[in-house]
């Protein structure tokens, strides 16, 4: 079993940057594929980015391509989401997830509690 905890959220002005971290417990972290999702008030949870266990496969939501970068440090049991050129529409609670396949769907087994990202205009 894997537990994931997100951190790094906060309030930032439009055009600014934030780097989210997701720390995972368990010695099997390296075998898990990881995803970042977000959920804005009144909206469904949506895919943002995903990375395979070895970093060889990466997916992004179209609207964040070129602005967000997902990466992982298996030695630290951590996955990151670097967010640049933030826009007000990026405002949401961001969730980290771990699962057996790398996918853009919600089909991940383990989820964190989320971290709030607020982008002011």
């Amino acid at each position: 079993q894997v537990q994931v905890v997100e951190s790094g959220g906060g309030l930032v002005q439009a055009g600014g940057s934030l780097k989210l971290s997701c720390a995972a417990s368990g010695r099997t972290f390296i075998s898990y594929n990881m995803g970042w999702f977000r959920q804005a008030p009144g909206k469904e949870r949506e895919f943002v980015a995903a990375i395979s266990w070895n970093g060889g496969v990466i997916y992004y939501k179209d609207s964040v391509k070129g602005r967000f970068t997902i990466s992982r440090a298996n030695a630290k049991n951590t996955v990151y989401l670097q967010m640049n050129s933030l826009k007000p529409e990026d405002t949401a609670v961001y969730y980290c997830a771990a699962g057996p396949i790398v996918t853009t769907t919600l089909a991940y087994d383990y989820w964190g509690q989320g971290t709030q990202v607020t982008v002011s205009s």
Side-chain angles (χ1 to χ4, degrees):
Q1 189 162 348
V2 175
Q3 291 184 329
V4 294
V5 178
E6 305 93 338
S7 62
L11 174 63
V12 64
Q13 289 188 333
S17 299
L18 281 175
K19 185 173 185 177
L20 305 183
S21 298
C22 172
S25 64
R27 290 175 290 180
T28 58
F29 173 78
I30 192 172
S31 65
Y32 281 91
N33 302 285
M34 305 296 295
W36 284 99
F37 293 77
R38 66 188 183 188
Q39 188 167 17
K43 296 187 177 181
E44 294 185 348
R45 192 169 298 189
E46 64 177 8
F47 167 77
V48 176
I51 187 168
S52 62
W53 68 274
N54 63 352
V57 178
I58 290 177
Y59 299 129
Y60 292 104
K61 177 181 175 62
D62 284 346
S63 63
V64 308
K65 286 180 181 177
R67 300 189 298 122
F68 290 11
T69 302
I70 189 172
S71 61
R72 64 188 295 161
N74 287 338
K76 297 182 178 180
N77 280 16
T78 302
V79 64
Y80 305 98
L81 185 68
Q82 176 67 48
M83 304 186 296
N84 299 328
S85 302
L86 282 161
K87 304 175 181 180
E89 51 264 43
D90 294 319
T91 295
V93 177
Y94 282 70
Y95 297 91
C96 177
I101 60 173
V102 58
T103 175
T104 62
T105 71
L106 297 174
Y108 287 82
D109 294 339
Y110 306 104
W111 292 81
Q113 294 300 305
T115 186
Q116 176 71 47
V117 171
T118 303
V119 184
S120 63
S121 57

